[in-house]
Amino acid sequence: MGQRPLRSTAGGNLPSELGRFIGRGGELAELGRLLESSRLVTVTGVGGVGKSRLALAAARAASEGSQERYCDGAWLAELATVRDPALLELALAEALELTDHTTRPPRTVLAEHLAGRRLLLVLDGFEQLVDECAGLVRELLRRCPGLHVLAVGRRPLALDGELAFPLAPPAPEEALALLVARASAADPGFAVTAENRGTLVELCDRLDGIPLALELAAGRLRTLSPAQVLARLEDRFALLTGGARGGLARHRALRTAIGWSHELCTPAERLLWARLSVFAGRFDLDAVEYVCAGPDLPVEDVLDLVGELLAQSLLVREETPAGVRLRMLETVRAYGAGWLESLGDAGRLRRRHRDWYVGLATWCELDWFSPRQQEVAALVEAELPNIRLALECCLDEPDEAHLGQYLAGTLWFYWAGCGRLTEGRHWLDRTLEPADQAVEYETSRLKALWVLGYVAALQGDAAASMSALYECRDGAAQSGNTVAAAYAVHRMGCLALVSDDMARARELLGAALEQYRAAGELNSNVLMCQVELGMALAFLGDLPGALGLCGEVREICEERGERWTKAYALYVLAYAALGAGRTQEARRLLSECVAINHVFHDLVGLVLALELLALVTVAEGDAAEAAVLQGAAEPMWGGVGLQLFGSGYFNAPRLMCREQAGELLGAERYAAYEAEGRELSREALVGRALRDPEERGAGGVPRQAGRPRGSRVSTGAAAEQPQP
């Protein structure tokens, strides 16, 4: 998880209100008062009553009205798709935009990150993990005095100091206003008349005013009159109540509304509804067509059926960075899941779901080495809840562990390239637990092993990395898998590189590069091997050798449209340019490097580039700006990894910048500028790093007298570097 500061112009990650928020003025005011008097408030109520929407409205109002109390913003963590307790902390870290490359427990990372911050955290949909969530919230509130939590669920967390806010359905007038507003949105010609008003009021009463039930009814008013809707509801009221005798009326009303919508669907629509329940979070039409179609549901009919479910408010259409996605409300999904189980088809659909996402990961790995890298990263990010379900499905079947190993290994580019090392380590460890595996699946296990070795090396866990890589190397030798052997040697070289053993890194990385070429392998991993060899040569003082290797990688990346590996090649080229005194060239190279790493959330690449850029800034004569950049970059090291944190080679630019800028500014002024940098958000830091030096001067940033003109800043030739 690389720690991303929470201060931002966005003030958090709350989604914008898409539709008009109707009514609930009294509840909104009361919830605001509760938030002022307690650090933990839980909105409770039946599914569909509007808890989430009210909580988000209250969070927006609180963050805007209490900027001092919530100076670090308001943040939403949606937990409804999280089933595995081990992923709870990771989901929360993801919501807070935290990344961390170490082996520290995610709970520790969360607590340390939140300890000095003042923010409002909205936890929505925790019912399936109520005990685990309660324990996590208790610990975070105890250790983080500036943290306030607004929880949303069907029951309280039952913690000391918690204030529960039971949310009842809206008042009759508000329920009618909501029904009319949603019906008008579905059909602009809809209007309340003297003739239909009484029927609409009765419809709201029959549905107990539950917003989700009203939304479903409004979708039907597009094709049915209010009287027809009411008649159909009344005909099925007794049949579809479900639940225990004497249960709450609003529980019966909600099930009635969903069951009534189910009854009004055609058999094909009901079947699709049930099959869609195997998805988690958002999904796209291609996935629906593959997973849900069959002899009884022709693929050519799926698009029209999806359109009907959208029209009936049973599906929601959303725009995401990965394109248009569909989503099913959790209450609607749970109803469909019950029907799928009753049909006896749940296991088969879960396996089809798993197969689709295994195929998606395979395609994404291939497409990573292309101009579509950024789109691939966004796609995997959007599909992560479904990928997690697919991994769980693999683990649930003992005979299919190899599929889990294949899937976890295939996602190496996401774990290592997009700031997901901790989650990657979780799945790799779990899928590799079964020791026995059929010989025909050895390739999948070897891949998972070298990816585990890679991830553990980047986390600074040398022992786990070496253990996995030795096992991979030995297994590859026994099976004659020359490609897996090359990957094992490569990652051993990577481990030596981050452990300051440059001579061994040069030897291993060079050998791996030869093996890759002999096997005809060419992808981002192979190019990264060449870049890492260039790094080792640069650190050993062979700048011409480093320039040759990384210049070639840069050309290949530009030809193929590859950006992630290119960023690391640019870092080495900038290192060499600065060592030769070409500061303008070094800045240009590093600016592109910073921009790319920021896009992919690659914390390792970003912090290295920023610190080298700070040293470039000293060389340009602006010690104050260098101190600001250094101050902003330094906190990131806590999330990078213990080995890199202690590396004399990788940290030489940081130490040199501190020494040179400190001499020019003096200890007190340097500390002040460094403190200013620590307050910058990630977005603000990157924006500042990418500014032209002349723009900084125009903006009033004090420029400091630097070195005599014509002198050079050494980037640490071999004689000046610590010896391994």
Side-chain angles (χ1 to χ4, degrees):
M1 295 183 272
Q3 288 175 305
R4 306 179 199 166
L6 295 182
R7 294 177 176 83
S8 71
T9 56
N13 69 341
L14 299 184
S16 58
E17 182 69 58
L18 297 180
R20 185 165 61 93
F21 189 71
I22 298 171
R24 298 292 200 185
E27 292 94 332
L28 194 58
E30 177 61 21
L31 189 52
R33 285 191 290 271
L34 293 179
L35 285 170
E36 291 179 0
S37 59
S38 175
R39 293 177 58 211
L40 173 60
V41 178
T42 302
V43 181
T44 63
V46 65
V49 80
K51 302 184 297 295
S52 298
R53 200 161 191 180
L54 179 68
L56 288 175
R60 290 188 198 96
S63 62
E64 293 168 2
S66 304
Q67 294 183 0
E68 182 177 349
R69 173 177 291 184
Y70 307 124
C71 59
D72 290 301
W75 298 78
L76 169 65
E78 295 181 293
L79 305 176
T81 63
V82 180
R83 298 289 185 268
D84 183 354
L87 296 179
L88 178 62
E89 288 94 343
L90 292 175
L92 189 52
E94 175 187 350
L96 291 169
E97 298 182 1
L98 273 167
T99 53
D100 186 82
H101 292 318
T102 72
T103 56
R104 294 180 300 169
R107 183 170 297 207
T108 300
V109 175
L110 281 170
E112 291 180 359
H113 183 76
L114 293 172
R117 287 170 167 76
R118 301 167 69 180
L119 60 88
L120 177 62
L121 179 60
V122 183
L123 301 178
D124 191 8
F126 58 80
E127 292 91 347
Q128 72 284 359
L129 296 172
V130 63
D131 292 335
E132 294 83 0
C133 192
L136 177 59
V137 169
R138 180 191 297 111
E139 182 173 347
L140 292 179
L141 287 173
R142 180 174 56 83
R143 298 178 61 181
C144 311
L147 173 65
H148 291 69
V149 175
L150 176 57
V152 184
R154 301 192 186 188
R155 52 170 292 179
L157 289 167
L159 296 177
D160 291 340
E162 176 184 21
L163 294 182
F165 183 73
L167 183 63
E173 308 81 32
E174 292 184 354
L176 178 60
L178 176 61
L179 176 64
V180 170
R182 298 298 181 254
S184 299
D187 177 11
F190 178 84
V192 180
T193 65
E195 290 75 21
N196 68 18
R197 181 180 178 83
T199 304
L200 292 171
V201 170
E202 186 176 356
L203 181 59
C204 292
D205 181 61
R206 292 281 183 158
L207 295 177
D208 245 7
I210 295 175
L212 176 58
L214 297 175
E215 298 263 1
L216 296 172
R220 284 298 177 183
L221 287 170
R222 192 168 64 101
T223 53
L224 299 174
S225 71
Q228 288 174 314
V229 170
L230 184 60
R232 287 172 177 263
L233 180 62
E234 185 167 345
D235 288 345
R236 290 160 177 78
F237 192 87
L239 174 65
L240 300 175
T241 53
R245 185 184 302 275
L248 292 176
R250 60 177 176 269
H251 285 268
R252 297 198 303 272
L254 178 62
R255 184 163 181 82
T256 296
I258 297 178
W260 165 71
S261 289
H262 190 267
E263 285 293 307
L264 287 178
C265 288
T266 66
E269 290 166 3
R270 293 179 206 164
L271 186 58
L272 180 58
W273 178 351
R275 291 179 177 179
L276 287 173
S277 69
V278 300
F279 289 97
R282 298 165 179 85
F283 46 90
D284 68 3
L285 182 62
D286 289 339
V288 173
E289 290 177 334
Y290 177 86
V291 174
C292 300
D296 49 357
L297 195 65
V299 67
E300 58 269 21
D301 294 346
V302 170
L303 177 58
D304 289 339
L305 292 171
V306 165
E308 287 302 315
L309 294 181
L310 282 166
Q312 298 169 44
S313 301
L314 295 166
L315 281 178
V316 179
R317 180 185 183 277
E318 297 182 350
E319 295 281 351
T320 75
V324 174
R325 286 294 184 276
L326 303 169
R327 179 173 60 85
M328 186 172 275
L329 296 178
E330 181 60 22
T331 305
V332 176
R333 190 206 65 78
Y335 191 96
W339 274 85
L340 187 63
E341 290 288 348
S342 70
L343 294 172
D345 205 20
R348 184 184 71 86
L349 264 293
R350 279 194 285 267
R351 288 189 293 273
R352 284 189 66 81
H353 174 277
R354 175 207 62 202
D355 292 346
W356 171 262
Y357 287 100
V358 168
L360 181 71
T362 302
W363 175 84
C364 285
E365 181 187 30
L366 293 172
D367 223 29
W368 181 255
F369 189 47
S370 79
R372 293 178 293 278
Q373 268 187 335
Q374 189 171 346
E375 289 85 347
V376 168
L379 176 59
V380 178
E381 186 78 16
E383 299 290 3
L384 188 57
N386 283 299
I387 289 171
R388 288 168 175 163
L389 272 188
L391 284 161
E392 287 288 357
C393 183
C394 297
L395 292 167
D396 288 342
E397 300 289 340
D399 294 337
E400 296 181 345
H402 64 282
L403 286 175
Q405 293 164 3
Y406 173 81
L407 180 53
T410 296
L411 290 167
W412 65 265
F413 62 91
Y414 185 63
W415 311 138
C418 301
R420 292 284 188 173
L421 291 179
T422 303
E423 179 154 359
R425 179 73 179 272
H426 168 80
W427 291 115
L428 290 161
D429 282 338
R430 286 190 64 190
T431 58
L432 284 166
E433 282 176 3
D436 298 329
Q437 182 170 297
V439 175
E440 62 264 32
Y441 301 131
E442 179 69 5
T443 300
S444 296
R445 184 170 181 84
L446 293 177
K447 185 170 190 176
L449 283 168
W450 73 252
V451 175
L452 174 59
Y454 182 23
V455 167
L458 293 178
Q459 287 185 306
D461 190 349
S465 176
M466 192 57 70
S467 175
L469 293 173
Y470 274 133
E471 184 178 348
C472 179
R473 184 197 63 181
D474 295 345
Q478 291 175 9
S479 62
N481 191 326
T482 57
V483 174
Y487 279 105
V489 174
H490 172 189
R491 295 312 171 190
M492 288 178 183
C494 176
L495 179 60
L497 183 71
V498 299
S499 303
D500 275 359
D501 191 347
M502 293 303 151
R504 180 166 172 76
R506 177 175 57 188
E507 175 188 351
L508 290 171
L509 292 168
L513 201 55
E514 290 180 4
Q515 293 176 44
Y516 281 141
R517 289 169 177 167
E521 192 86 347
L522 180 61
N523 53 36
S524 297
N525 271 304
V526 175
L527 294 180
M528 186 63 81
C529 180
Q530 189 163 330
V531 171
E532 289 163 349
L533 178 57
M535 284 183 181
L537 294 181
F539 290 147
L540 291 171
D542 183 3
L543 296 183
L547 283 170
L549 287 170
C550 293
E552 182 182 8
V553 169
R554 182 185 185 184
E555 291 178 4
I556 296 173
C557 287
E558 289 175 349
E559 177 185 333
R560 298 292 189 115
E562 212 277 4
R563 299 175 64 203
W564 175 64
T565 307
K566 178 184 176 183
Y568 284 89
L570 294 174
Y571 171 83
V572 179
L573 294 173
Y575 186 98
L578 182 58
R582 301 191 300 273
T583 56
Q584 188 173 4
E585 178 186 351
R587 171 170 290 280
R588 177 174 51 80
L589 294 166
L590 287 170
S591 293
E592 186 178 359
C593 181
V594 166
I596 294 172
N597 285 318
H598 182 54
V599 164
F600 290 110
H601 307 304
D602 187 340
L603 187 67
V604 174
L606 182 60
V607 69
L608 290 174
L610 285 169
E611 293 200 332
L612 190 57
L613 185 60
L615 188 56
V616 169
T617 306
V618 172
E620 293 171 336
D622 194 346
E625 183 68 11
V628 171
L629 293 176
Q630 186 62 62
E634 191 156 346
M636 296 183 197
W637 280 105
V640 166
L642 300 178
Q643 290 293 335
L644 283 181
F645 188 78
S647 167
Y649 289 98
F650 282 104
N651 286 327
R654 171 172 60 92
L655 300 176
M656 294 176 68
C657 176
R658 178 181 294 170
E659 177 185 354
Q660 294 179 17
E663 284 182 8
L664 293 167
L665 294 171
E668 185 175 345
R669 294 181 66 203
Y670 178 86
Y673 283 119
E674 194 177 49
E676 178 186 336
R678 282 195 291 271
E679 294 299 311
L680 291 175
S681 70
R682 182 71 52 81
E683 293 288 341
L685 168 60
V686 170
R688 188 157 181 162
L690 298 181
R691 282 191 302 181
D692 184 88
E694 296 306 319
E695 293 178 16
R696 291 202 310 269
V701 178
R703 301 180 63 82
Q704 304 298 325
R707 303 159 289 97
R709 295 178 67 87
S711 66
R712 296 182 178 181
V713 175
S714 169
T715 56
E720 297 171 325
Q721 291 288 358
Q723 295 303 308

